[in-house]
């Protein structure tokens, strides 16, 4: 992997971590997304955000980063160079992409007990895995497999223009 | 500086053929080479092969020669061909010795001369058709060639050739003339010293001889054949067993008559005679390339690059062991080996991987995303001021064919020079490209070059996969480096080890 690609993986993972562990809990704690119908909503939100949300977010974050790193390692080691060989890797990208998607189901269904936040949580987590998995792999997949993630070609092209 | 190469006879044509391959991989300077074939047998198979190679070279040169020649030495030398001159060109008579010398008139007007003619040549030799060449008989060839008068030759190509030499001298370019051919056959043995002497005389009369170096390469016997059973034993055709005798006579002629003609003389020979198919001439006289012809090309290179400063200096080259030829036996190995290897690696990679893949991408439609190494050579937008180049363009498709033809031609020649009977040629591993028109295995890229102790680590790294990765991350230095030509030139540079 090139240095630029490694840096992009680290930076995007850090941005994702800030979003998931700082920005999103902050929005919940402020009651901007959902306000519980209890006597002390601030305390309830505080408690939910630091317990259930953090567990769910850590789970989704872990699954996304795991998939991303696994993808980068596998593609860096891959010797595929012919179109038909490269095509197979598109399927593997989707298979690895399923891991964070499934993790959202586990996170909002099992780790979170509050039904009212499920939709908002799902939307947030989808955005998070778009950043942590899709954007990171689309901009940082190494070698000849660089364009296998969807829209990677356009993203790389945009990145190149931006850097020029 | 320009060099004029005159290939005489079938072997001379094969030397030009070898020289073409050496020039294509950048072993000659970035100055024009001008070639001329001299042969009475206009349909000779060896001549046809050499012409075909020149044609492939010319097409490829026109396609890829632009760009930085220091960075990419591929096709850096322009080769112009004056094509063929035959001593029978323009003569409306039967191509036999009798007609050529107006035997009947001589016999009638000068009976003594006619009788001498009868003593020197048998009835068969007088009457046999020479449209197949001089049938391995230098005595016939010498008689015909001695009638050539360059002063009276206003016919092409001699007129243009002499004018070109004169212009080069006027421009202070110090041109060189190099003649090559066999000394044991018919056309070469008789034509080479004669043509050399005629050119030297002509240049002398023009007062430019001292500004021009004339070199010559004599190939001593290096192949032989058996006369097939059933062939007329008294027939007029080349005989292997006479080669040494012919050689001895021709060398004697050179020592006594032609020594002053040439500034440098190269002699090449081989102990083992390669077996070739018997042929009287014409299209069936088509021998496979021999490693000695590669040496002939290198002799031309040596003559061009190194003008001898000491008269009568003897330069020797031999090989370490009879029956085996290795990279160490090559003159100026440091320059020659990398160039030959670079060309072979490129040709192999192109045929094994790039050409099939381009065809596949074309057939499947626009799926270039699956070949990211290709994208920068076919930019979708016209950034950097380029015209948009598409793989499907007719021009691009033609370019693929031309480059593939050169690759096949080069590998086929390399394969042939490894097939000499009784010789172990240890330059390349020829089995890896036995059939360049067929399927080549891309896994064998690292095995192309013969190595006594292959380094496993570097072998594992030397893959087409890695070459494609390098192609992908290669930064184009010029906007013109796009399309199939840009791709091929870049790949050529990256194939250098």
């Amino acid at each position: 992997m090139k240095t630029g690609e490694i840096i992009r993986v680290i930076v995007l993972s850090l941005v994702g971590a800030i979003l998931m562990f700082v920005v999103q809990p902050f929005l919940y704690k402020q009651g901007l997304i959902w306000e519980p119908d209890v006597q002390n909503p601030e305390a309830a939100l505080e408690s939910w955000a630091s317990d259930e949300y953090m567990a769910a977010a850590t789970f989704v974050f872990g699954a996304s980063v795991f998939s991303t790193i696994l993808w980068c390692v596998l593609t860096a080691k891959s010797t595929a160079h012919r179109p038909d060989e490269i095509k197979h890797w598109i399927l593997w990208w989707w298979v690895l992409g399923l891991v964070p998607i499934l993790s959202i189901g586990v996170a909002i269904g099992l780790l979170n007990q509050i039904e009212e936040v499920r939709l908002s949580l799902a939307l947030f987590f989808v955005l998070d895995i778009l950043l942590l998995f899709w954007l990171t792999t689309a901009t940082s997949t190494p070698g000849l497999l660089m364009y296998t993630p969807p829209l990677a070609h356009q993203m790389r092209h945009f990145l190149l223009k931006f850097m020029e | 500086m320009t060099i004029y190469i005159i290939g005489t006879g079938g072997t001379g044509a094969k030397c030009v053929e070898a020289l073409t391959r050496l020039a294509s991989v950048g072993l000659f300077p970035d100055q024009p080479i001008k070639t001329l074939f001299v042969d009475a047998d206009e349909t000779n198979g060896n001549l046809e092969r050499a012409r075909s190679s020149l044609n492939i070279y010319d097409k490829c040169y026109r396609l890829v020669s632009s760009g930085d020649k220091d960075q990419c030495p591929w096709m850096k030398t322009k080769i112009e061909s004056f094509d063929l001159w035959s001593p029978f060109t323009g003569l409306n008579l039967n191509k036999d010795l009798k007609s050529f010398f107006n035997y009947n008139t001589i016999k009638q007007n000068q009976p003594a001369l006619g009788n001498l003619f009868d003593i020197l040549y048998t009835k068969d030799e007088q009457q046999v058709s020479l449209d197949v060449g001089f049938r391995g008989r230098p005595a016939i060839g010498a008689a015909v060639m001695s009638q050539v008068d360059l002063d009276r030759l206003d016919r092409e190509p001699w007129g243009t050739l002499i004018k070109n030499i004169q212009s080069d001298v006027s421009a202070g370019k110090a041109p060189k003339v190099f003649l090559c051919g066999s000394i044991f056959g018919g056309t070469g043995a008789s034509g080479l010293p004669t043509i050399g002497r005629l050119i030297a005389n002509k240049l002398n009369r023009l007062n430019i001889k001292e500004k021009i170096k004339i070199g010559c390469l004599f190939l001593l016997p290096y192949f032989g054949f058996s006369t097939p059973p059933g062939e007329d034993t008294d027939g007029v055709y080349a005989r292997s067993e006479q080669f040494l005798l012919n050689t001895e006579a021709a060398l004697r002629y050179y020592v006594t008559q032609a020594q002053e003609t040439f500034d440098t003389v190269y002699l090449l020979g081989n102990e083992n005679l390669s077996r070739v198919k018997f042929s009287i001439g014409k299209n069936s006289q088509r021998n496979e390339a021999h490693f000695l012809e590669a040496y002939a090309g290198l002799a031309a290179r040596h003559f061009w690059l190194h003008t001898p400063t000491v008269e009568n200096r003897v330069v020797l080259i031999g090989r370490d062991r009879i029956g085996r030829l290795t990279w160490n036996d090559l003159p100026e190995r440091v320059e020659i080996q990398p160039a030959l290897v670079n060309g072979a690696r490129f040709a192999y990679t192109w045929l094994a991987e790039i050409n099939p893949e381009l065809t596949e991408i074309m057939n499947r439609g626009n799926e270039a995303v699956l070949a990211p190494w290709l994208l920068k050579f076919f930019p979708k937008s016209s950034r950097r001021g380029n015209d948009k180049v598409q793989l499907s363009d007719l021009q691009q498709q033609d370019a693929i064919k031309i480059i593939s033809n050169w690759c096949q031609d080069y590998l086929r020649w390399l394969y042939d020079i490894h097939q000499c009977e009784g010789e172990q040629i240890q330059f390349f591993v020829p089995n890896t490209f036995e059939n360049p028109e067929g399927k080549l295995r891309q896994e064998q890229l690292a095995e192309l070059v013969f190595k006594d102790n292959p380094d496993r680590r570097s072998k594992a790294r030397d893959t087409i996969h890695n070459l494609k990765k390098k192609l992908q991350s290669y930064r184009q230095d010029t906007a013109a480096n796009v399309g199939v030509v840009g791709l091929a030139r870049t790949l050529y540079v990256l194939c250098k080890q």
Side-chain angles (χ1 to χ4, degrees):
Chain A
M1 266 183 100
K2 291 179 189 165
T3 320
E5 289 163 350
I6 296 171
I7 291 172
R8 280 200 290 276
V9 172
I10 295 169
V11 169
L12 289 172
S13 300
L14 278 174
V15 172
I18 292 167
L19 275 177
M20 291 184 86
F21 300 115
V22 180
V23 180
Q24 285 164 201
F26 175 77
L27 294 176
Y28 276 112
K29 282 176 193 172
Q30 294 301 309
L32 295 170
I33 312 293
W34 164 69
E35 199 162 339
D37 190 16
V38 290
Q39 271 188 337
N40 188 353
E42 287 86 12
L45 275 173
E46 183 68 41
S47 160
W48 174 82
S50 46
D51 295 339
E52 289 181 30
Y53 173 83
M54 277 301 168
T58 306
F59 189 69
V60 173
F61 180 81
S64 302
V65 171
F66 168 78
S67 286
T68 304
I69 291 172
L70 187 61
W71 170 258
C72 289
V73 170
L74 291 176
T75 49
K77 289 197 163 198
S78 163
T79 54
H81 59 93
R82 287 184 171 146
D84 53 332
E85 293 167 344
I86 292 175
K87 210 170 185 177
H88 287 143
W89 282 87
I90 297 176
L91 177 70
W92 283 110
W93 185 88
W94 284 104
V95 169
L96 280 177
L98 271 180
V99 174
I101 291 169
L102 291 175
S103 77
I104 296 177
V106 174
I108 61 173
L110 300 176
L111 301 174
N112 167 59
Q113 303 298 319
I114 297 167
E115 213 165 298
E116 290 91 330
V117 292
R118 277 185 184 152
L119 183 64
S120 61
L121 262 185
L123 285 171
F124 272 131
F125 286 159
V126 165
L127 285 175
D128 294 335
I129 63 165
L130 279 176
L131 175 79
L132 286 166
F133 183 71
W134 169 73
L135 189 62
T136 312
T137 55
T139 55
S140 312
T141 299
L144 296 172
L145 298 169
M146 67 193 292
Y147 297 139
T148 39
L151 300 174
H153 186 219
Q154 289 81 348
M155 289 304 298
R156 290 263 189 165
H157 191 66
F158 172 76
L159 209 65
L160 205 70
K161 269 195 164 177
F162 180 73
M163 282 164 79
E164 275 177 355
Chain B
M1 191 201 294
T2 306
I3 190 164
Y4 294 83
I5 310 274
I6 300 173
T8 313
T11 306
K14 292 182 78 191
C15 293
V16 174
E17 186 189 343
L19 179 142
T20 308
R21 269 59 176 262
L22 299 179
S24 65
V25 295
L27 280 170
F28 282 80
D30 177 15
Q31 302 285 329
I33 296 177
K34 297 186 180 181
T35 64
L36 170 66
F37 298 108
V38 173
D39 207 324
D41 179 3
E42 294 176 43
T43 54
N44 185 286
N46 291 325
L47 178 68
E48 200 180 287
R49 267 176 69 138
R51 279 165 143 175
S52 158
S53 285
L54 273 176
N55 188 31
I56 289 169
Y57 184 99
D58 186 53
K59 280 185 182 167
C60 205
Y61 174 84
R62 284 165 199 250
L63 189 72
V64 304
S65 62
S66 59
D68 184 353
K69 290 179 181 177
D70 288 331
Q71 193 195 21
C72 179
W74 185 37
M75 295 284 160
K76 72 174 181 183
T77 311
K78 186 176 187 187
I79 303 184
E80 291 171 32
S81 177
F82 292 108
D83 203 29
L84 172 74
W85 176 79
S86 157
F88 299 113
T89 305
L91 297 180
N92 293 323
L93 42 79
N94 291 333
K95 288 179 180 174
D96 58 61
L97 208 56
K98 214 170 165 180
S99 309
F100 190 78
F101 280 92
N102 292 320
Y103 173 79
N104 292 336
T105 316
I106 291 174
K107 191 83 178 170
Q108 207 169 21
N109 300 338
Q110 297 169 277
L113 197 60
N115 291 340
L116 178 65
F117 192 80
D118 286 334
I119 290 168
L120 290 174
Y121 299 101
T122 65
K123 285 280 172 224
D124 283 344
E125 284 175 338
Q126 289 177 22
Q127 287 169 356
V128 79
S129 173
L130 300 178
D131 60 354
V132 294
F134 299 135
R135 296 170 176 260
R137 304 285 170 100
I140 297 177
V144 174
M145 287 294 189
S146 64
Q147 296 301 299
V148 175
D149 184 351
L150 277 188
D151 276 332
R152 282 190 295 165
L153 272 183
D154 44 8
R155 282 196 307 268
E156 293 306 330
W158 292 108
T160 311
L161 186 127
I162 298 292
K163 269 183 203 156
N164 274 223
I165 294 176
Q166 277 182 289
S167 323
D168 286 341
V169 172
S170 309
K173 287 182 186 168
K176 290 185 172 181
V177 180
F178 188 78
L179 297 100
C180 52
S182 75
I183 203 165
F184 54 93
T187 312
S190 58
L192 217 151
T194 315
I195 298 281
R197 181 167 49 82
L198 289 169
I199 291 174
N201 291 346
K202 175 76 182 175
L203 298 176
N204 251 331
R205 280 194 290 278
L206 293 169
N207 287 324
I208 53 173
K209 169 70 184 75
E210 67 279 3
K211 290 175 184 156
I212 298 157
K213 297 282 177 201
I214 302 181
C216 162
L217 166 72
F218 293 121
L219 273 125
L220 306 176
Y222 68 100
F223 63 81
F225 47 80
S226 313
T227 310
E231 196 69 41
D232 178 11
T233 48
D234 296 324
V236 185
Y237 49 79
R239 288 177 169 81
S240 256
E241 57 273 21
Q242 287 176 347
F243 281 174
L244 277 178
L245 201 66
N246 292 349
T247 303
E248 197 270 340
L251 285 175
R252 196 198 303 261
Y253 174 85
Y254 166 71
V255 171
T256 56
Q257 308 280 322
Q259 218 174 130
E260 298 303 313
T261 306
F262 304 110
D263 295 286
T264 311
V265 174
Y266 296 84
L267 285 169
L268 280 172
N270 192 30
E271 302 87 348
N272 302 328
L273 302 187
S274 293
R275 307 303 302 169
V276 297
K277 210 173 70 188
F278 172 82
S279 165
I280 290 180
K282 295 222 166 183
N283 202 275
S284 65
Q285 192 180 342
R286 186 184 287 262
N287 305 338
E288 298 309 321
H290 191 282
F291 76 84
L292 213 60
E293 291 145 16
Y295 271 80
L298 295 176
R301 178 180 186 269
H302 184 269
F303 176 67
W304 195 355
L305 296 178
H306 310 282
T307 305
T309 48
V310 184
E311 266 187 47
N312 296 329
R313 188 172 149 221
V314 177
V315 183
L316 287 174
I317 178 138
R319 54 177 160 174
D320 197 34
R321 219 172 76 185
I322 294 174
R324 195 185 73 164
L325 196 69
T326 69
W327 289 112
N328 290 325
D329 296 314
L330 279 180
E332 298 172 297
R333 177 191 171 174
V334 182
E335 292 159 36
I336 289 157
Q337 183 183 356
L340 288 174
V341 169
N342 194 169
R345 285 170 56 78
F346 165 75
Y348 193 88
T349 308
W350 184 270
L351 293 176
E353 193 66 28
I354 308 297
N355 184 27
E357 200 162 315
L358 292 178
T359 311
E360 199 184 322
I361 289 167
M362 260 301 294
N363 293 342
R364 224 186 12 223
N366 186 21
E367 282 201 78
V369 163
L370 298 174
W373 50 272
L374 194 64
L375 288 176
K376 71 172 65 170
F377 299 101
F378 295 93
K380 286 194 172 175
S381 61
S382 57
R383 69 191 171 97
R384 297 187 196 176
N386 298 332
D387 287 334
K388 194 175 165 187
V389 183
Q390 285 189 316
L391 184 59
S392 54
D393 290 348
L394 207 60
Q395 207 183 354
Q396 300 300 318
Q397 292 301 306
D398 281 346
I400 295 173
K401 277 183 207 149
I402 289 169
I403 293 168
S404 299
N405 278 346
W406 176 82
C407 293
Q408 287 169 353
D409 189 58
Y410 181 68
L411 286 185
R412 204 181 304 119
W413 177 74
L414 280 184
Y415 179 79
D416 286 348
I417 65 170
H418 283 75
Q419 305 306 309
C420 305
E421 201 180 292
E423 302 281 357
Q424 278 181 287
I425 315 290
Q426 296 179 342
F427 294 157
F428 293 93
V429 180
N431 293 343
T432 51
F433 47 87
E434 189 175 352
N435 180 17
E437 287 85 4
K439 189 163 169 56
L440 299 175
R441 291 178 56 213
Q442 49 107 356
E443 303 80 30
Q444 289 185 312
L445 176 69
E447 294 160 23
L448 283 189
V449 183
F450 186 92
K451 284 175 192 148
D452 282 332
N453 300 306
D455 172 13
R456 281 190 183 179
R457 268 185 157 184
S458 60
K459 197 175 159 186
R461 278 198 303 268
D462 189 16
T463 60
I464 288 181
H465 174 242
N466 280 342
L467 272 177
K468 282 186 182 171
K469 275 164 100 173
K470 285 184 194 167
L471 264 180
Q472 188 183 334
S473 50
Y474 189 80
R475 283 198 174 272
Q476 286 161 299
D477 50 356
T478 60
N481 245 353
V482 291
V484 169
V485 172
L487 168 67
R489 283 178 61 86
T490 309
L491 183 66
Y492 198 92
V493 173
L494 295 176
C495 280
K496 191 174 181 180
Q497 274 189 316

